[in-house]
């Protein structure tokens, strides 16, 4: 696909090049970015649900990547998160294993390899995973969205790379993602899930669970969004210091933006058309104007939508860039050291990752 460009007053020209595809394992469902071998160059890791493994692609620092190497994970590896679990300054991984009802922890060795995965039971069908310090003890904790048991599992970290037994909190039907943020401005991390719903459409929407700072959460409060919300992301879209939500609605081909009131409640959704089958949202300033934008992976139309933010909580019309077959997740990083955020897109049907460089 030819490079597309947008020129906006007061910002740089936004332009993503054609995708370059790198083979990974079978049916990648997530991709994360980090410097896993500590060479100052960003690398990629995908979670491959079809091969029960992870693929590591070491970056060359110029926007290209080395061939993938496989790392054993759990059955149906679907969700990924990167963090420091044992305070050794080496990046670690948490993996949600959809088929084995576990989350695997892989401690990094710091040179692009990992210790053997250690798995912890969670709810049924964990699909996505997020990190946060929910009990404010200075240690990283894990949250999983469990699509089969319609709940969220919280695993508190011990600070040495191990985790306690999961505690579960009910949400609505079939949670497909989990995000973390201070939704009510009390300095305590809260949780929000997107709930895909059952085949009849019941249970679709967003569940908000406010934290008390001691690792416990209030009962979930439910909000409607679009049809079959697949993913939820947090950000401050209108610069009022209050967390807002962006929701990818798989079956309505749009993104719902829900502005926060600052007390843990949210206004009704305003919808923006994307491509078909939006499955993932990343929030980043892609055009250097200081305003958060949205990047959306569209699984059905096999492309990525960029929606530039106006800074007042509204967004411009989507501009789409091609990926490969069934892009279901994306990650953002500066892969070629030019100071601009680039995209890495996990394509489930074509078993690869598309890298799209941001070219000014």
């Amino acid at each position: 696909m030819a490079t597309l460009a947008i020129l906006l007053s007061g910002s740089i020209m936004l332009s993503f090049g054609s995708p370059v595809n790198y083979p990974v394992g079978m049916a990648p469902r997530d991709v994360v970015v980090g410097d896993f071998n500590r060479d100052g160059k960003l690398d990629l890791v995908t979670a491959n649900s079809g091969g029960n493994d992870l693929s590591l692609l070491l970056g060359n620092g110029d926007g290209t990547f080395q061939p993938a190497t496989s790392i054993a994970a759990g059955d149906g590896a679907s969700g990924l998160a990167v963090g420091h679990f044992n305070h050794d300054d080496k990046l670690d991984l948490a993996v949600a294993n959809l088929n084995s009802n576990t989350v695997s922890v892989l401690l990094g060795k710091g040179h692009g390899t990992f210790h053997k995965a250690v798995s912890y039971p969670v709810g049924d069908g964990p699909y996505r995973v997020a990190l946060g310090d929910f009990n404010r003890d200075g240690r990283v904790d894990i949250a999983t969205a469990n699509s089969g048991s319609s709940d969220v599992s919280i695993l508190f970290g011990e600070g040495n790379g191990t985790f306690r037994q999961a505690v579960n909190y009910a949400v609505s039907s079939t949670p497909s993602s989990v995000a973390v943020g201070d939704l009510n401005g009390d300095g305590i991390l809260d949780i929000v899930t997107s709930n895909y719903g059952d085949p009849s459409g019941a249970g679709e929407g967003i569940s908000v669970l406010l934290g008390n700072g001691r690792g416990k959460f209030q009962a979930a409060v439910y909000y409607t969004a679009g049809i079959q919300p697949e993913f939820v992301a947090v950000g401050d879209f209108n610069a009022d210091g209050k967390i807002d939500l962006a929701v990818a609605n798989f079956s309505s081909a749009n993104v719902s933006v829900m502005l926060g009131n600052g007390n843990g409640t949210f206004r009704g959704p305003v919808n923006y058309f994307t491509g078909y089958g939006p499955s993932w949202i990343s929030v980043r300033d892609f055009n250097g104007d200081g305003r958060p934008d949205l990047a959306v992976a569209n699984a059905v139309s096999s492309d990525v939508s960029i929606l530039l933010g106006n800074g007042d909580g509204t967004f411009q019309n989507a501009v789409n860039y091609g990926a490969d077959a069934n892009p279901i997740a994306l990650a953002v990083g500066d892969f070629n050291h030019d100071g601009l955020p680039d995209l890495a897109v996990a394509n489930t049907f074509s078993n690869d990752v598309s890298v799209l460089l941001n070219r000014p």
Side-chain angles (χ1 to χ4, degrees):
M1 175 176 289
T3 297
L4 301 178
I6 307 171
L7 183 60
L8 298 177
S9 175
S11 64
I12 66 170
M13 180 178 288
L14 176 66
S15 173
F16 284 94
S18 298
V20 178
N21 300 323
Y22 296 86
V24 294
M26 292 179 58
R29 290 188 178 272
D30 204 349
V31 57
V32 293
V33 173
D35 183 5
F36 298 105
N37 59 350
R38 299 196 293 179
D39 64 352
K41 305 167 185 176
L42 288 181
D43 312 310
L44 303 175
V45 175
T46 65
N48 310 314
S49 60
N52 303 327
D53 66 347
L54 312 179
S55 292
L56 170 66
L57 299 88
L58 295 177
N60 296 317
D62 59 358
T64 66
F65 292 84
Q66 299 175 33
T69 58
S70 177
I71 303 168
D75 187 5
S78 296
L80 278 172
V82 181
H84 292 289
F85 301 149
N86 56 352
H87 300 294
D88 65 355
D89 202 33
K90 301 169 185 176
L91 288 181
D92 310 311
L93 294 171
V95 188
N97 302 306
L98 182 67
N99 298 332
S100 57
N101 303 330
T102 62
V103 60
S104 294
V105 173
L106 292 87
L107 299 180
K109 297 181 179 181
H111 48 74
T113 61
F114 295 83
H115 293 280
K116 184 178 178 180
V118 177
S119 296
Y120 298 84
V122 292
D124 295 342
Y127 191 58
R128 298 295 183 200
V129 61
L131 307 177
D133 182 4
F134 302 120
N135 56 353
R136 298 195 291 181
D137 64 354
R139 304 165 182 173
V140 176
D141 310 314
I142 295 174
T144 64
N146 306 314
S147 60
S149 49
S150 295
D151 56 16
V152 170
S153 293
I154 306 297
L155 298 90
F156 295 107
E158 299 286 9
N160 60 0
T162 65
F163 291 82
R164 303 178 204 167
Q165 183 177 350
V167 178
N168 297 333
Y169 292 87
V171 294
S172 196
S173 179
T174 319
S176 51
S177 75
V178 56
V180 174
D182 180 8
L183 305 180
N184 59 349
D186 63 356
I188 297 169
L189 288 181
D190 311 305
I191 286 174
V192 56
T193 67
S194 62
N195 309 306
Y196 195 80
D198 62 33
S200 70
E204 296 173 345
I206 302 301
S207 293
V208 172
L209 297 87
L210 299 179
N212 69 358
R214 297 183 297 277
K216 295 184 179 180
F217 294 85
Q218 298 178 26
V221 177
Y222 175 82
Y223 296 84
T224 59
I227 302 173
Q228 293 184 316
E230 175 84 8
F231 195 86
V232 60
V234 299
D236 182 5
F237 303 137
N238 57 350
D240 64 353
K242 303 170 184 177
I243 293 293
D244 310 310
L245 304 179
V247 186
N249 303 304
F250 185 87
S251 293
S252 49
N254 61 24
V255 165
S256 294
V257 174
M258 304 168 66
L259 297 180
N261 295 315
N263 59 358
T265 66
F266 295 86
R267 304 175 205 172
V270 177
N271 298 325
Y272 297 86
F273 180 75
T274 57
Y276 293 101
S279 300
W280 189 280
I281 301 176
S282 288
V283 179
R284 190 69 65 91
D285 178 11
F286 290 105
N287 63 333
D289 65 356
R291 304 165 182 171
D293 311 310
L294 305 178
V296 184
N298 304 309
V300 176
S301 52
S302 294
D303 55 16
V304 174
S305 296
I306 303 295
L307 295 85
L308 297 178
N310 296 315
D312 59 358
T314 66
F315 291 83
Q316 299 175 30
N317 292 335
V319 176
N320 292 348
Y321 300 84
D324 214 340
N326 197 241
I328 199 169
L330 61 82
V332 181
D334 182 5
F335 304 139
N336 56 353
H337 294 285
D338 65 354
L340 300 175
D342 309 307
L343 299 175
V345 187
N347 305 299
T348 303
F349 291 169
S350 50
N351 302 324
D352 57 16
V353 169
S354 295
V355 174
L356 292 83
L357 297 180
N358 190 342
R359 302 188 184 280

